[in-house]
Amino acid sequence: MRMATGRQSVAKEGLQVRAAELEGKPLIMSGDSKPFNPEEVRVIVTSLQQPAVFLNMVSDWPALKWNVEHLSRLLNGKPLKFRIGERKVTKVPQFETHCEYIQATLQEFLDWLHDESDDSAGQFAAFPRSRYWGYCDYKYVAMVFEEKAEVFQDVIWSDFGFPGRDGRDSTLWIGTEGANTPCHLDSYGCNLVLQVQGRKRWHLFPPEDTASLYPTRIPYEESSVFSSVNVVNPDLEHFPRFHGAKPHVVTLHPGEVLFVPRHWWHYVESLDPVTVSINSWIELDDDDETRVGEALARTVVCALKAADPHVPTASWLNTTEAEVTSHETNLHYVNLAVQACIDKRKVCSSKGRNPSARSLPSFKRRKCDSGDGAGYSAVADADPKPALTTSIPFGPNLLPVVQDTGATAKHRVPSDSSKVNISLSNNLEANNCSGKVGSNSKNTGVHSTTISTDELLNCLVHPDVISLMTEILLDCHFSH
């Protein structure tokens, strides 16, 4: 359902459109054209517990000019990496490891979109648009425009209460109709997303839906936990718990900014012939312990997957990762993350604060040439998150993304065979196993079980298991 209908449903659902009290003071609309000033937005963003769309906040941002034609002129023939996916209906998620990759300029991308000659489309010529989509996804603005630093000021996240945050702290996404990001949750921070050109549909699921989404770390990349389910075409026979998921669906239009809270799952698809988005991950105080968990997950995944020489690395390691890191390196990451947490706890204890308070720097890690020796980029942590004492001023300038009950009904489990699968699923709930659990031998009547490495990993690095491991590890070392 289009968000404009959501605008009408605000009144229908009885949501109050009124001034909220922020820190004991009435919310006063700003004198300029924006409905909220930066301080007000900051409190709203740090208090929101559900996705929401901000309207009328970016009309003066120069970044709204960043359509593909404008970006092509700015980059002047600079090649970028594009992910190419096949347009097909399947019940299996189209992970990034299932796609092909090419280097191309934005002009070649435009020529491909406009069905120009094969010569002008470069490497795109090998992929008919009727069968393939293209995505120039996850491009750090600071790296793409490293020779044009003046464009960083086109993105003004300071309007959302984060002073100094601009294009240098943002990523760029350019895609065709059908381009998509598999359903996943981001381990670190929360997310602000500006839609610049075209429309994108977001399918979001709350953190409590994690069991229903069958989390997996294959393909592996730090900071992302993927869902085994194709959430727009689910295989309910293999993933029966998905019928209980609570999808929140919204279509984001140019000039709108979506807020995605911490650990909300999301699948994103482009709806128009060309789309452009800009996002920024906002670091949170909880990210310090998450870094320990991510280091543990990396250690386990690399140890088990690298142990099998017959499995190609490209089949399980996302292209966003630089390489398979050694056990020594991974253990070093674990020790650094644990020590940082312990140091922070000691500081908090010495100042009379809660020793479990979390306010370490964190970062969304992806492969890049940062020059820091680790192959990743890092940004500083945001200010501590205030307590939730704010009434959220939902209304014409701030729209809640509500549950799509129609999608929930559409994904009900089939009647008969599903009962067996649900029973089996319940027995394996703790391990989050979703696939084959063996077969019944007709000759012996004995159940045989064959567990793959990936199924084992889905248990060992399940978010709940990693969270428990992190807690035990930190408590053990802090007590020393």
Side-chain angles (χ1 to χ4, degrees):
M1 183 177 294
R2 160 68 186 121
M3 200 63 186
T5 305
R7 293 189 181 104
Q8 300 169 3
S9 69
V10 169
K12 291 180 181 179
E13 294 178 20
L15 293 173
Q16 296 179 330
V17 180
R18 60 177 177 83
E21 291 187 357
L22 300 180
E23 299 180 341
K25 298 179 180 180
L27 176 65
I28 301 174
M29 291 300 183
S30 304
D32 58 18
S33 59
K34 298 183 187 297
F36 310 111
N37 66 41
E39 294 74 20
E40 293 163 349
V41 181
R42 178 62 176 259
V43 175
I44 292 170
V45 165
T46 53
S47 301
L48 275 168
Q49 302 297 307
Q50 70 180 101
V53 178
F54 287 88
L55 285 78
N56 305 314
M57 284 293 297
V58 298
S59 59
D60 60 342
W61 285 25
L64 288 182
K65 299 182 302 183
W66 286 22
N67 57 37
V68 176
E69 290 79 7
H70 177 75
L71 293 171
S72 179
R73 290 191 294 271
L74 281 177
L75 292 173
N76 192 28
K78 181 175 183 175
L80 300 172
K81 187 177 182 179
F82 285 80
R83 177 160 60 97
I84 306 296
E86 191 171 357
R87 301 179 187 274
K88 57 183 179 180
V89 178
T90 175
K91 292 185 178 297
V92 179
Q94 193 167 21
F95 292 124
E96 291 161 77
T97 49
H98 300 164
C99 297
E100 298 191 52
Y101 293 85
I102 64 171
Q103 293 284 334
T105 67
L106 284 182
Q107 185 56 55
E108 290 171 333
F109 176 69
L110 286 168
D111 290 342
W112 184 54
L113 285 175
H114 298 151
D115 295 319
E116 300 292 343
S117 67
D118 288 350
D119 292 339
S120 63
Q123 295 184 43
F124 281 113
F127 302 95
R129 277 203 310 116
S130 60
R131 291 179 51 198
Y132 296 93
W133 48 259
Y135 210 5
C136 182
D137 55 348
Y138 213 118
K139 298 297 178 285
Y140 281 102
V141 172
M143 296 176 62
V144 173
F145 295 103
E146 57 186 341
E147 298 175 355
K148 294 182 179 292
E150 65 274 10
V151 306
F152 299 157
Q153 307 307 314
D154 290 0
V155 184
I156 315 171
W157 295 117
S158 57
D159 283 352
F160 285 79
F162 299 96
R165 185 175 289 264
D166 55 22
R168 290 168 296 185
D169 311 294
S170 305
T171 48
L172 182 65
W173 311 72
I174 304 168
T176 66
E177 183 271 326
N180 63 83
T181 303
C183 186
H184 68 285
L185 68 78
D186 298 317
S187 302
Y188 304 127
C190 57
N191 197 1
L192 286 170
V193 187
L194 166 65
Q195 191 63 28
V196 175
Q197 182 178 4
R199 299 168 301 151
K200 278 186 173 179
R201 181 172 294 131
W202 286 70
H203 302 251
L204 301 116
F205 301 84
E208 56 265 28
D209 277 356
T210 293
S212 300
L213 290 165
Y214 298 83
T216 180
R217 297 310 298 258
I218 303 298
Y220 175 78
E221 70 175 29
E222 178 161 355
S223 79
S224 295
V225 181
F226 290 99
S227 168
S228 302
V229 184
N230 181 347
V231 298
V232 293
N233 188 31
D235 184 345
L236 294 176
E237 181 178 353
H238 285 94
F239 306 110
R241 285 199 303 276
F242 182 72
H243 85 284
K246 299 176 287 296
H248 293 57
V249 183
V250 63
T251 299
L252 201 63
H253 287 236
E256 298 178 343
V257 175
L258 173 66
F259 170 72
V260 182
R262 175 181 173 85
H263 288 176
W264 272 69
W265 295 81
H266 46 285
Y267 167 89
V268 190
E269 56 184 338
S270 295
L271 301 181
D272 289 325
V274 61
T275 63
V276 176
S277 307
I278 303 169
N279 87 293
S280 187
W281 282 279
I282 310 298
E283 302 76 29
L284 297 175
D285 299 336
D286 290 337
D287 289 342
D288 60 333
E289 291 189 11
T290 301
R291 290 177 63 187
V292 176
E294 285 298 291
L296 290 171
R298 174 185 286 273
T299 301
V300 174
V301 171
C302 289
L304 287 184
K305 295 299 289 187
D308 188 348
H310 302 295
V311 178
T313 301
S315 69
W316 64 269
L317 189 70
N318 236 13
T319 59
T320 51
E321 289 290 321
E323 61 184 354
V324 181
T325 44
S326 68
H327 181 70
E328 181 181 13
T329 298
N330 293 335
L331 199 58
H332 179 61
Y333 286 152
V334 172
N335 278 279
L336 286 177
V338 169
Q339 189 60 52
C341 282
I342 299 306
D343 291 345
K344 179 60 66 173
R345 288 189 178 189
K346 289 179 178 178
V347 170
C348 291
S349 295
S350 67
K351 294 183 178 180
R353 300 175 187 170
N354 184 347
S356 63
R358 296 170 243 182
S359 57
L360 285 181
S362 64
F363 45 88
K364 177 79 176 180
R365 294 171 58 132
R366 289 272 184 151
K367 178 181 177 182
C368 69
D369 299 320
S370 61
D372 61 1
Y376 297 97
S377 65
V379 292
D381 195 11
D383 294 335
K385 181 176 178 179
L388 181 58
T389 58
T390 304
S391 297
I392 305 300
F394 290 127
N397 297 302
L398 179 63
L399 307 178
V401 179
V402 298
Q403 184 177 345
D404 186 343
T405 55
T408 303
K410 183 174 63 176
H411 295 152
R412 295 194 186 281
V413 180
S415 56
D416 296 328
S417 61
S418 63
K419 294 179 181 178
V420 175
N421 286 322
I422 290 175
S423 175
L424 178 61
S425 174
N426 288 338
N427 290 335
L428 298 171
E429 183 97 26
N431 291 331
N432 193 49
C433 297
S434 57
K436 299 170 287 185
V437 186
S439 57
N440 187 14
S441 171
K442 294 181 179 179
N443 296 328
T444 64
V446 177
H447 289 272
S448 61
T449 301
T450 302
I451 298 175
S452 68
T453 300
D454 287 357
E455 288 172 326
L456 180 60
L457 278 172
N458 284 345
C459 299
L460 294 177
V461 295
H462 184 283
D464 292 343
V465 176
I466 290 296
S467 178
L468 181 59
M469 289 170 61
T470 300
E471 181 181 350
I472 293 172
L473 192 60
L474 290 176
D475 286 347
C476 177
H477 282 265
F478 186 67
S479 62
H480 294 167

